[in-house]
Amino acid sequence: MSSAWNASDVTPDGAAWLASAGTYPRSTLALWEERPDAPVVLPCGSVFDVVSAPAMFGRRMLDRLWDDGPGSGPVAQFRGRMLLFAAPGTAQRLPALLEWEEWGARGGREATRTDAVPPLLCHGTGDAVTVPAPSESIWPAAPAPSESASLTVPASSRSAAPTTAPPARPPAPARSASRWLVAPDTRQPWLPGPEVLLWAAVRAARSAVRISIFPPADQDAKVYDVSRRR
């Protein structure tokens, strides 16, 4: 893997893996080739399950997975939720494990160890999720405009206002509410199972809230060493 690869960029192999979850993988890839900014809806249960957590808690789970654990599978952000891609079957097993953990802790000294775990939405067989669009960098870029096509104003008319203004450059698109934090980069990515995500959720719940007079760090600048992923 090249050191220049960005963890938030979907590779062609990663796009093929995502598309394989749908009924018509070739159609999905053709859509992305034509419209690389288009999110799609893919079914869960066969290729992957998805665990959806509130954005802040999901970020804490992700930090625990990468700082203290085995790493994570693909992770996306969509409309205020963190989508953690997991092994098939996780959606069915994880809620039972969380309930067992909560009941097992009652009456003991760690009775509140799962109290801070918010409701996690588990998407498995029969469910579908919106998958963020891949990065435009994996598809052929549009040709840049020729320098000869740039507007040239004669010196004699520079002082006068032009009758027709040159076309303005379109503004940079706003950051999408749907994007990859850890993008798929292979046709067979490692996916955490229910036990790993249970561990991450409990660790995230136990982590203390840090209060600081300084503004929070830019979460987009977080870098995960994907070479550590199992």
Side-chain angles (χ1 to χ4, degrees):
M1 181 184 302
S2 172
S3 59
W5 179 72
N6 190 328
S8 62
D9 288 346
V10 178
T11 66
D13 282 347
W17 173 74
L18 288 170
S20 69
T23 306
Y24 305 103
R26 292 184 179 180
S27 298
T28 301
L29 292 175
L31 171 65
W32 275 335
E33 187 171 357
E34 181 179 353
R35 295 180 53 199
D37 59 341
V40 298
V41 177
L42 293 176
C44 302
S46 59
V47 176
F48 52 75
D49 282 1
V50 171
V51 175
S52 172
M56 291 301 296
F57 187 81
R59 174 70 70 169
R60 288 159 63 186
M61 287 182 62
L62 192 57
D63 287 343
R64 298 284 69 75
L65 285 168
W66 284 100
D67 292 344
D68 306 319
S72 73
V75 180
Q77 182 174 318
F78 183 74
R79 294 183 179 177
R81 305 285 298 186
M82 196 77 73
L83 307 181
L84 294 97
F85 285 67
T90 298
Q92 181 179 4
R93 180 66 175 151
L94 182 58
L97 290 177
L98 284 169
E99 184 177 1
W100 177 86
E101 184 79 11
E102 179 181 358
W103 279 96
R106 289 185 180 181
R109 299 179 59 183
E110 298 181 355
T112 61
R113 62 183 174 182
T114 58
D115 288 352
V117 177
L120 302 178
L121 306 180
C122 299
H123 304 286
T125 303
D127 300 326
V129 294
T130 300
V131 175
S135 168
E136 295 185 13
S137 63
I138 73 170
W139 308 112
S146 172
E147 294 182 0
S148 61
S150 60
L151 179 65
T152 301
V153 180
S156 59
S157 61
R158 286 176 185 170
S159 59
T163 57
T164 302
R169 182 171 185 156
R175 179 174 293 277
S176 172
S178 174
R179 60 193 179 92
W180 291 101
L181 298 179
V182 180
D185 61 334
T186 175
R187 290 177 181 265
Q188 294 182 333
W190 178 81
L191 298 173
E195 294 82 5
V196 173
L197 292 182
L198 171 68
W199 172 87
V202 172
R203 285 294 188 97
R206 290 176 179 175
S207 62
V209 177
R210 298 181 177 87
I211 301 177
S212 174
I213 62 174
F214 299 103
D218 181 8
Q219 295 290 350
D220 296 339
K222 183 73 175 183
V223 176
Y224 298 100
D225 181 9
V226 296
S227 64
R228 291 182 52 245
R229 184 166 48 199
R230 288 185 180 176

